[in-house]
Amino acid sequence: MALRKLASEAATGLGVRWAAAPVASSSSTKTAIASVFSRGFATVMDGFKYAKSHEYVNMDGDVATIGISDFAQSELGDVVYVELPEVGSELTKGETFGVVESVKAASDVYAPVSGEVVEVNESLSDDPSKVNSEPFEGGWMMKVKVSDASDADALMDAKAYEAHCESGGH
């Protein structure tokens, strides 16, 4: 009984829904406990590049699709507003290009590469929650014609970014 109480309190503290169920064998007990204490990590897309500030880049020729990572959106909480640059704007790697506002905070978003904005995701003005629900698909922010391909090469690959997030992501 004490184990169930501990598991229930731990699940609640981690924000995991958990209901005690009868457990028949010791291997089932280990599985039940492991599922209570396991924690899902953010999705990281292979083939994408990532900045330490949690923006991603998906290169297609010399055009980069840019957005914030699944880790970043989960840290922000429910996104309620996204401010993006205008098409034709010039971006400089490392400088802010916009703002993402959530129910928790407003956060600057930084250009992971330099170049010219060739498209912005207009659908985010009507539905900014796409940044939360589909950060890599419908939640992308802009497309940039990259001026220096080495900018993207200098970013983290998926494996390095996973390690960055697991170490605290800062």
Side-chain angles (χ1 to χ4, degrees):
M1 194 55 107
L3 182 57
R4 284 187 182 179
K5 183 177 180 189
L6 172 66
S8 177
E9 290 172 356
T12 301
L14 291 170
V16 176
R17 284 191 166 174
W18 181 77
V23 180
S25 72
S26 62
S27 66
S28 298
T29 303
K30 290 177 185 172
T31 303
I33 291 171
S35 68
V36 168
F37 290 103
S38 68
R39 182 174 172 199
F41 290 97
T43 301
V44 176
M45 301 293 285
D46 284 328
F48 284 37
K49 295 289 196 156
Y50 298 87
K52 288 184 178 180
S53 53
H54 303 289
E55 294 81 15
Y56 69 78
V57 171
N58 184 21
M59 293 299 298
D60 183 11
D62 64 348
V63 176
T65 300
I66 297 171
I68 64 170
S69 70
D70 190 36
F71 178 88
Q73 70 77 23
S74 67
E75 291 290 305
L76 280 170
D78 295 335
V79 173
V80 296
Y81 176 75
V82 178
E83 179 184 298
L84 298 173
E86 293 184 19
V87 171
S89 300
E90 287 292 327
L91 302 180
T92 302
K93 181 179 180 175
E95 293 187 6
T96 62
F97 70 77
V99 175
V100 176
E101 291 183 19
S102 73
V103 294
K104 290 183 184 179
S107 182
D108 288 333
V109 190
Y110 299 91
V113 293
S114 296
E116 179 187 353
V117 178
V118 294
E119 184 179 351
V120 295
N121 188 349
E122 298 289 345
S123 71
L124 295 181
S125 61
D126 294 329
D127 188 5
S129 69
K130 287 182 178 182
V131 171
N132 296 114
S133 62
E134 46 183 317
F136 301 110
E137 297 85 18
W140 60 273
M141 296 180 169
M142 64 183 168
K143 295 187 180 189
V144 174
K145 182 173 169 104
V146 177
S147 58
D148 184 352
S150 68
D151 283 353
D153 294 338
L155 299 171
M156 291 180 278
D157 63 13
K159 187 175 180 179
Y161 183 67
E162 280 179 347
H164 175 67
C165 291
E166 289 174 6
S167 70
H170 302 287

